[in-house]
Amino acid sequence: MFSLLHRHILREIISATAITMGLFVFVLIAGNALRDSDELLMAGQLDVVITLKLLGLLVPYVAAYALPLGVLTGTLVAVGRLSSQREITAMKSAGVSIYQIAAPVFFIAMIGMVAALIVNFHFAPQSRIAYKALLAETVREDPINLIQEKRFITEFPGYVIYMGGRRGADLEDFWIWELDNERRATLFMRAASGNLAFNEADLELVLTLRDGTAEQRDPTDPEAYQNDPGRTGFFEELSIALPLERLFSPGSDRRRLKEMTFNELMTLRQELLSSERESGEQPAGGVSEPRMKVQMQIQNHFAM
């Protein structure tokens, strides 16, 4: 009798959890996909196959958040339905204790905890790296389309670019702001026309501007418009190299801690610990800041 009741409660929880998890996965995937690839969708660089692959790679990444939310919501929905239909009252009237009724809930929670650990420490970081690599490879096929008309382009570090129009291969009305480390405009350029070329050897876009003006601001205080009206010059032709290496080689830069698997985090932690011992310097509190960040990331995965 009890095993039959347990199976009934399990079915209720599993079905409710599957529905709520599917809902959370859909919402999180939609948000991440629109945030990362809306420019490429507008540029027409993502076909149906690539889009489905990108969405599939996002599933393990968002599952790290959808799994605990889905299990919690699914359990509340299932237990709430059993309670509203007086099934829990009937079970208790038949002599079934509250602990026996709750046993399937704890069973699902244990399975969910193990699954969440595996997802957080292994599949989620790997899927995120694969997602970025596929996105970068898609851009590599036609990087010139990154510059879209009537849209502010912020994908290139240190620049904001705006293009007014396009006539075939001819590009018109360029506005370019060069930014400092605090994202303040130190140089503003505007050109009547220009063109783009892709330098595959150096992984950069070469933007050639023609018939334009440039306004240089004070690099120490570029926002002091009243004290420094700026220095304006004219040019017939000017070339600007926009590097794409970071976009095309997401693994070349140091990966973020949240994109590392458990083994990679532990290896990095051990390397930092060995470096501290070899240097002979005792960090304040016994743990250096880089190693503290690694340990906090490991704890964050466990906490999820």
Side-chain angles (χ1 to χ4, degrees):
M1 175 180 176
F2 293 155
S3 61
L4 180 61
L5 288 176
H6 289 163
R7 288 198 297 270
H8 173 64
I9 297 173
L10 277 175
R11 282 196 299 268
E12 291 290 333
I13 296 176
I14 290 174
S15 59
T17 299
I19 294 173
T20 54
M21 269 197 65
L23 177 61
F24 284 122
V25 166
F26 172 77
V27 172
L28 293 173
I29 283 182
N32 280 271
L34 290 176
R35 181 193 63 191
D36 294 339
S37 57
D38 57 343
E39 295 89 357
L40 300 179
L41 287 170
M42 289 187 294
Q45 289 187 261
L46 296 181
D47 56 24
V48 176
V49 176
I50 295 297
T51 302
L52 291 177
K53 286 183 179 179
L54 290 172
L55 295 180
L57 288 172
L58 276 177
V59 171
Y61 177 71
V62 301
Y65 303 91
L67 186 58
L69 290 172
V71 171
L72 174 62
T73 307
T75 301
L76 292 175
V77 169
V79 174
R81 195 193 71 78
L82 292 174
S83 177
S84 66
Q85 295 183 355
R86 304 293 190 271
E87 292 188 46
I88 292 181
T89 303
M91 295 177 194
K92 294 173 68 176
S93 300
V96 182
S97 68
I98 191 66
Y99 302 104
Q100 291 174 314
I101 297 174
V105 177
F106 288 107
F107 178 72
I108 292 293
M110 292 296 295
I111 293 179
M113 183 184 67
V114 174
L117 283 174
I118 296 173
V119 169
N120 280 315
F121 278 115
H122 186 73
F123 291 107
Q126 285 193 337
S127 68
R128 187 62 179 172
I129 293 299
Y131 173 84
K132 288 186 175 181
L134 180 58
L135 200 61
E137 187 61 31
T138 303
V139 175
R140 179 190 288 272
E141 296 178 1
D142 192 5
I144 294 179
N145 272 340
L146 280 175
I147 308 295
Q148 291 293 302
E149 59 181 311
K150 293 182 173 57
R151 189 175 70 85
F152 289 95
I153 311 298
T154 60
E155 282 76 19
F156 305 102
Y159 291 97
V160 175
I161 302 173
Y162 178 86
M163 181 183 67
R166 181 195 299 262
R167 293 185 180 178
D170 298 327
L171 311 178
E172 300 176 342
D173 193 16
F174 273 99
W175 300 54
I176 300 178
W177 293 264
E178 185 174 316
L179 311 178
D180 61 9
N181 293 332
E182 298 180 12
R183 298 191 63 79
R184 300 176 300 179
T186 58
L187 177 64
F188 169 68
M189 293 174 284
R190 184 174 182 180
S193 62
N195 68 330
L196 281 167
F198 177 47
N199 183 355
E200 188 169 1
D202 296 328
L203 289 178
E204 62 184 17
L205 280 180
V206 179
L207 174 59
T208 303
L209 305 176
R210 299 186 182 87
D211 301 327
T213 59
E215 180 181 323
Q216 179 72 50
R217 308 295 307 176
D218 182 4
T220 60
D221 191 6
E223 296 179 347
Y225 298 103
Q226 296 179 350
N227 301 330
D228 181 19
R231 295 166 293 280
T232 304
F234 300 89
F235 60 86
E236 293 184 359
E237 185 172 293
L238 178 66
S239 295
I240 301 176
L242 305 172
L244 299 172
E245 185 175 358
R246 182 188 301 180
L247 180 62
F248 285 160
S249 306
S252 60
D253 296 333
R254 185 175 180 179
R255 285 165 56 184
R256 295 188 297 173
L257 294 178
K258 64 184 299 184
E259 296 173 347
M260 293 185 176
T261 63
F262 179 74
N263 289 336
E264 291 171 336
L265 286 171
M266 293 302 294
T267 300
L268 179 58
R269 177 183 177 277
Q270 188 60 39
E271 291 175 354
L272 293 172
L273 182 59
S274 300
S275 177
E276 293 173 14
R277 291 173 177 172
E278 291 175 0
S279 65
E281 298 180 358
Q282 183 67 21
V287 181
S288 65
E289 183 177 350
R291 184 156 64 93
M292 177 65 73
K293 290 181 178 180
V294 174
Q295 293 181 177
M296 288 178 63
Q297 186 61 49
I298 294 174
Q299 293 298 327
N300 181 63
H301 283 322
F302 274 113
M304 284 293 294

